[in-house]
Amino acid sequence: MPDGIIAILFDIDGTLITSGGAGTRAWALAFEEVYGMKVDISSLSDLGMTDSEVGSKGLESVVGRKPTGIELEKMLECHLRYLPQTVEESEGYRVMEGADSLLTALITQGYMLGLVSGNSEKGAHIKLKRANLNRFFSFGGFGSDSADRRELTKVAISRAEIAFGAQISLEQFLCVGDTSRDIDAAHAAGIKCVGVATSKYSKEDLKDAGADYVIGSLSEGLPL
Ligand SMILES: [Mg+2]
């Protein structure tokens, strides 16, 4: 293993879990509270977008212009306040097939596991808590680090080195995600990406998006 992969970065939504629309519901409650308006964020956003990007889209639809930083901060805070409740109550919440056993196996084999997610750091932990998956991850890059997925992936890489206590070369990282945005961000950061066809993107879509490897689900294991 020393010559091979050291750290593996996992996307959350559509890769490890699906929240069954808990994020969308939390946004709806937040817009209801702050603006008294019904906003369906799922019709405005796309998979793999960061919380800031999603919040900005929703706000733009409400105020009819680019939101200010303060307006966005307020919505992000409000969304986060509702999220524990909507995740807990979500009937469609589930852990992706093979996730728990794969993470257990990887940890046992000595890999360092991290998160790369457009969710804020708190939001990411709230979403994983219901499935008791937080225990696997020792670092990450999040939507609260940057609104740009490419940048937050780079943050995850630098945090991995801090957690590891030494430099890790880019070839020793692997990213795992379910959308073209994960692949784009991983490549922009200089690391390889495994596409998992467990949500909207098929194996073909992920290949077309440039995935270095493609698997049908986490139960197939990673190409290590
Ligand atoms: Mg995803």
Side-chain angles (χ1 to χ4, degrees):
M1 198 184 80
D3 294 332
I5 301 294
I6 290 178
I8 307 171
L9 312 176
F10 282 87
D11 167 57
I12 296 180
D13 294 292
T15 300
L16 292 173
I17 60 137
T18 175
S19 76
T24 300
R25 176 90 185 112
W27 279 117
L29 291 166
F31 278 105
E32 185 87 53
E33 178 185 315
V34 179
Y35 292 95
M37 286 175 73
K38 297 229 176 295
V39 175
D40 178 11
I41 212 82
S42 66
S43 66
L44 303 170
S45 60
D46 202 0
L47 300 178
M49 280 169 62
T50 63
D51 275 359
S52 293
E53 291 174 317
V54 173
S56 293
K57 290 267 182 198
L59 272 165
E60 250 183 274
S61 79
V62 169
V63 299
R65 55 168 168 76
K66 281 232 171 297
T68 65
I70 289 170
E71 286 169 331
L72 180 58
E73 275 309 309
K74 187 174 181 182
M75 287 312 298
L76 286 167
E77 183 275 324
C78 194
H79 165 258
L80 204 53
R81 199 150 28 78
Y82 282 112
L83 194 63
Q85 175 198 335
T86 61
V87 167
E88 203 48 49
E89 291 171 353
S90 174
E91 287 177 13
Y93 183 101
R94 63 186 171 85
V95 180
M96 291 309 196
E97 186 192 329
D100 205 302
S101 51
L102 175 66
L103 296 173
T104 303
L106 294 173
I107 282 283
T108 307
Q109 289 160 39
Y111 294 102
M112 276 179 64
L113 306 184
L115 296 165
V116 268
S117 172
N119 289 285
S120 67
E121 182 164 9
K122 284 179 189 163
H125 293 315
I126 290 166
K127 282 187 175 175
L128 292 177
K129 180 170 173 272
R130 179 168 158 178
N132 193 25
L133 294 180
N134 281 313
R135 69 191 198 278
F136 293 109
F137 302 99
S138 51
F139 64 94
F142 303 93
S144 41
D145 295 311
S146 173
D148 180 342
R149 196 170 184 107
R150 295 171 163 200
E151 293 305 316
L152 68 86
T153 302
K154 292 176 191 168
V155 170
I157 288 170
S158 60
R159 290 207 179 119
E161 294 185 323
I162 293 168
F164 189 61
Q167 214 188 343
I168 308 173
S169 72
L170 293 173
E171 304 85 67
Q172 291 173 307
F173 282 93
L174 192 63
C175 183
V176 185
D178 68 304
T179 73
S180 60
R181 281 190 168 81
D182 299 275
I183 297 160
D184 167 76
H187 288 173
I191 65 175
K192 290 200 164 138
C193 189
V194 181
V196 197
T198 37
S199 69
K200 212 168 88 180
Y201 288 74
S202 68
K203 281 184 169 184
E204 278 305 309
D205 294 338
L206 293 166
K207 257 181 228 159
D208 291 346
D212 301 282
Y213 313 93
V214 176
I215 55 176
S217 85
L218 295 180
S219 55
E220 290 177 24
L222 299 180
L224 292 165

